[in-house]
Amino acid sequence: IFVGVGCGIVVKSCGACGGDDLLAVILSKITKLNISICYFVLDLIIILMSLTYISCVNILYSILTAMISSFIIGVIYNKK
C-alpha cells in the first residue's frame, strides 16, 4: 500500500521512482490504457522472468503486491 501511495504521488507530480515508471506512463499514453494496467503488466513481466530463481510462494506474494500497488498508483494518478 505504501509503495503504491509513494509511487502514485511521485508519478502524479511528473517524477519517476524507478525504471519502469516512465515506461508505464508512456505506454498508457500511447495505448490509451489505464496506467494501473500498464504498471501491472510491466511488473508481471519482470516477476515472471524471476521464476527461475525465486520460489513460487514468493512469486505469488510479489504478484499480489504488484496488483495492490498498481491499483493504488492508478487511483492516485487519475485523481483530480
Side-chain angles (χ1 to χ4, degrees):
I1 293 172
F2 295 118
V3 170
V5 171
C7 286
I9 291 170
V10 170
V11 171
K12 184 164 179 73
S13 62
C14 300
C17 294
D20 64 346
D21 295 334
L22 182 60
L23 187 56
V25 171
I26 291 171
L27 279 176
S28 73
K29 291 195 186 285
I30 290 173
T31 62
K32 306 294 186 212
L33 289 172
N34 194 339
I35 193 165
S36 59
I37 294 172
C38 293
Y39 260 100
F40 181 68
V41 168
L42 290 173
D43 285 343
L44 189 63
I45 291 169
I46 294 168
I47 291 168
L48 291 177
M49 288 191 302
S50 304
L51 275 171
T52 57
Y53 60 90
I54 297 177
S55 70
C56 289
V57 173
N58 287 338
I59 291 291
L60 292 176
Y61 285 130
S62 298
I63 291 172
L64 179 64
T65 302
M67 286 173 56
I68 293 169
S69 65
S70 64
F71 173 75
I72 294 172
I73 290 169
V75 168
I76 291 175
Y77 185 78
N78 294 323
K79 194 172 188 179
K80 300 286 180 192

